[in-house]
C-alpha cells in the first residue's frame, strides 16, 4: 500500500509554454501533498505544501504565479509550470501523507522536465 | 531555520570496507529519516528513527540517532557495489507547517 504516482515521468517542452504534472495517491487518501524540486547532484528542495481544498503554502523564493498548485481532491494534486524557461528544467518529485498520519511521506517516482 | 548537513558529500570506497555517513541537524526534531536515491530515480525509504538512542539495521546498513547531539549516522559494513547511490537524511521541521528538511546528500560510490 501507500503508492504515489506521477504523470508524466518525463516531459520536454518549449520555452514559454506551460506544463502540468500530476501527483496521485493510488491506494490512500492524502491530506497533504508536497512538491519538491531537485537539480542535478543537489538535494531536494521543498517548493510548496498543498492541502486538499485550500491554497498551497509556498516556500520562500518560490514564485506562486509561476508554479501553480491545485489540490482538488484527496488523491490528486497538480503542479503547473507556467511560461517555462530552461532554468526550470529539473526533477520534480511529489510526496503525500496518508490521511491521519503526518509523519510518513510517500514519494512519487518523479518527473523529469526539460525546457528547450 | 532548521538546517541539515551531511558529511561527507562524496564518498568513494572500496568493497568490503566499512564507512560512516554523518547527518547533523540544527534544532530539535521529532524523528529522522534516511533515504536512498539511485540516479534518475525517486527516493527509497531506508530507516525512520524515532527516539534518542534508536538503532536500526537492514543488511549492510545501520542507522543510529543521538538527539542530544542532533546527530545521526548511517554505517556501512563491508560495502558492495550495489550500495552505490546517493543517501539523504531528513528531519521534520515543526516550525509553522510540518515539513521535511533534507540533508545535502552523500554520493556513495563503491569501487569493485
Amino acid at each position: 500500500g501507500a503508492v504515489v504516482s506521477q504523470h508524466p515521468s518525463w516531459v520536454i517542452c518549449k520555452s514559454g509554454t506551460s506544463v502540468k504534472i500530476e501527483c496521485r495517491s493510488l491506494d490512500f487518501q492524502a491530506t497533504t501533498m508536497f512538491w519538491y524540486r531537485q537539480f542535478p547532484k543537489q538535494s531536494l528542495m521543498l517548493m510548496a505544501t498543498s492541502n486538499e481544498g485550500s491554497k498551497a503554502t509556498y516556500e520562500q523564493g518560490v514564485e506562486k504565479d509561476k508554479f501553480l498548485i491545485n489540490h482538488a481532491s484527496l488523491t490528486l494534486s497538480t503542479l503547473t509550470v507556467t511560461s517555462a524557461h530552461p532554468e526550470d528544467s529539473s526533477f520534480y518529485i511529489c510526496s503525500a501523507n496518508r490521511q491521519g498520519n503526518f509523519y510518513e511521506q510517500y514519494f512519487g517516482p518523479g518527473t523529469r522536465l526539460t525546457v528547450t | 531555520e532548521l538546517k541539515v548537513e551531511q558529511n561527507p558529500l562524496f564518498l568513494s570506497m572500496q568493497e568490503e570496507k566499512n564507512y560512516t555517513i554523518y547527518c547533523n541537524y540544527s534544532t530539535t526534531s521529532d524523528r529522522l529519516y534516511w533515504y536512498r536515491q539511485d540516479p534518475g530515480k525517486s527516493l527509497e525509504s531506508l530507516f525512520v528513527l524515532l527516539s534518542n538512542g534508536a538503532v536500526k539495521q537492514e543488511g549492510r546498513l545501520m542507522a543510529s540517532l543521538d538527539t542530544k547531539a542532533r546527530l545521526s549516522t548511517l554505517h556501512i559494513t563491508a560495502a558492495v557495489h550495489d550500495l552505490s547511490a546517493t543517501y539523504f537524511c531528513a528531519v521534520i521541521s515543526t516550525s509553522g507547517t510540518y515539513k521535511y528538511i533534507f540533508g545535502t546528500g552523500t554520493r556513495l560510490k563503491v569501487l569493485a
Side-chain angles (χ1 to χ4, degrees):
Chain A
V3 178
V4 176
S5 70
Q6 283 184 241
H7 178 79
S9 55
W10 61 270
V11 57
I12 301 173
C13 70
K14 292 186 177 180
S15 187
T17 63
S18 296
V19 61
K20 180 185 287 187
I21 302 170
E22 292 186 348
C23 176
R24 292 182 184 272
S25 55
L26 298 184
D27 52 1
F28 66 99
Q29 292 186 323
T31 314
T32 306
M33 288 184 169
F34 302 84
W35 287 96
Y36 296 87
R37 179 168 53 182
Q38 185 180 32
F39 292 110
K41 295 182 172 54
Q42 294 189 21
S43 186
L44 278 74
M45 298 300 296
L46 180 65
M47 298 176 66
T49 303
S50 74
N51 292 290
E52 184 264 341
S54 61
K55 289 184 178 180
T57 301
Y58 290 81
E59 294 299 301
Q60 194 171 10
V62 177
E63 300 176 56
K64 301 178 183 181
D65 295 332
K66 181 170 182 64
F67 299 99
L68 302 179
I69 292 173
N70 183 278
H71 194 157
S73 75
L74 285 172
T75 60
L76 173 64
S77 177
T78 60
L79 167 68
T80 301
V81 183
T82 63
S83 187
H85 290 283
E87 56 264 33
D88 297 324
S89 299
S90 187
F91 193 47
Y92 292 86
I93 302 174
C94 74
S95 69
N97 288 123
R98 192 194 295 268
Q99 193 172 27
N101 181 359
F102 168 79
Y103 288 109
E104 289 293 333
Q105 279 197 30
Y106 302 98
F107 288 85
T111 296
R112 173 78 56 194
L113 170 62
T114 302
V115 184
T116 62
Chain B
E1 181 184 335
L2 179 58
K3 291 185 178 180
V4 185
E5 295 182 341
Q6 289 179 233
N7 72 84
L9 298 182
F10 182 76
L11 181 57
S12 179
M13 53 194 292
Q14 301 289 329
E15 281 193 322
E16 299 302 317
K17 296 291 186 182
N18 304 331
Y19 285 93
T20 300
I21 299 170
Y22 298 88
C23 172
N24 288 92
Y25 52 100
S26 58
T27 62
T28 57
S29 178
D30 285 356
R31 55 189 65 191
L32 188 136
Y33 305 82
W34 282 98
Y35 293 92
R36 168 182 172 144
Q37 186 180 36
D38 292 298
K41 303 291 186 181
S42 189
L43 301 182
E44 173 189 350
S45 179
L46 295 175
F47 302 108
V48 179
L49 302 170
L50 303 178
S51 60
N52 187 45
V55 177
K56 289 196 174 179
Q57 182 166 5
E58 181 72 34
R60 301 173 187 271
L61 300 178
M62 183 175 71
S64 66
L65 178 62
D66 181 344
T67 57
K68 294 180 180 178
R70 297 175 188 163
L71 171 69
S72 179
T73 61
L74 181 65
H75 187 72
I76 303 156
T77 302
V80 293
H81 180 70
D82 285 351
L83 290 178
S84 297
T86 298
Y87 293 85
F88 292 98
C89 62
V91 298
I92 291 180
S93 169
T94 57
S95 174
T97 57
Y98 278 63
K99 56 188 178 184
Y100 280 30
I101 306 295
F102 281 86
T104 45
T106 297
R107 289 177 59 208
L108 172 65
K109 185 173 184 179
V110 181
L111 304 173

